Amino acid sequence: MRFNDGAVDSHGRFWAGAMNDPKVKEPTAEGVLFRLDPDLSLHRMLAPVTIPNGIGWNHANDTMYLTDSPTGQIFAFDFDAVTGAISNRRVHFDLEEPLEPDGFAMDVEGCIWTAIYGGGKVLRVSPEGKVIGQIDLPTRNPTCPAFVGTELYITSAKDDHDDEQFPRSVRYGGRLFKVDVGVQGKAKNEFRFAN
């Protein structure tokens, strides 16, 4: 197993998803979402997942989002900010095509900006779970966006295959892209050690 993606909630708890290491074994539904609390206690919060990716919370701090890439879905959970409990898992966004949502970033309007691995794009998904924006990239495998002000920085994975849809994918795979999207990113939380 190896860790894949993580985020910190409003109470300083670190959430991280673990998955099969693809260098050892094809990812299967054996992954786990963990929560590390400020007192350094570790909690298994969700299993099984396959490739846990983007994790984030809405502005009201009552919903947590989690991507499980091979399903093509971003899930929503009811979130108790005081206890860190999650419940009521449901589909927030379904890509409905044979591509994988990867890491994501959230903006101040409550939208998720999710990288579509294999699809050469980043989608902006509304709080209602609808696609309301798209950034097309000159590479097949964007992996994770991150905000700096209104600029979205987008990482990508190396790609060894050119084709008609992505004729420059080999050239630009593994590069970092920057796009000003005109909306601020949601501030990140920091881990808090217990006193």
Side-chain angles (χ1 to χ4, degrees), residues 131-152:
V131 175
I132 59 172
Q134 179 171 318
I135 299 168
D136 293 313
L137 299 166
T139 188
R140 183 190 329 267
N141 298 324
T143 53
C144 192
F147 276 99
V148 177
T150 62
E151 293 179 328
L152 197 64

Side-chain angles (χ1 to χ4, degrees), residues 6 21 30 65 88 160 188:
D21 188 334
E30 297 178 315
Y65 302 104
N88 189 26
D160 296 326
K188 298 277 189 179

Side-chain angles (χ1 to χ4, degrees), residues 9 19 24 52 75 100 143 173 176 194:
D9 70 24
M19 58 177 279
V24 177
F75 295 96
E100 296 186 3
T143 53
L176 178 67

Side-chain angles (χ1 to χ4, degrees), residues 1-6 16-23 25-34 46-55 65-75 77 89 99-104 114-115 117-118 142-144:
M1 300 291 280
R2 70 162 174 86
F3 284 99
N4 191 54
D5 205 347
M19 58 177 279
N20 297 118
D21 188 334
K23 293 180 181 177
K25 177 182 179 182
E26 191 71 23
T28 58
E30 297 178 315
V32 179
L33 178 66
F34 292 98
L46 179 69
V49 290
T50 307
I51 301 180
N53 256 308
I55 303 168
Y65 302 104
L66 171 71
T67 301
D68 191 358
S69 293
T71 68
Q73 297 173 328
I74 298 173
F75 295 96
F77 300 80
R89 178 179 174 165
L99 300 170
E100 296 186 3
D102 205 317
F104 71 64
T114 181
Y117 190 89
T143 53
C144 192

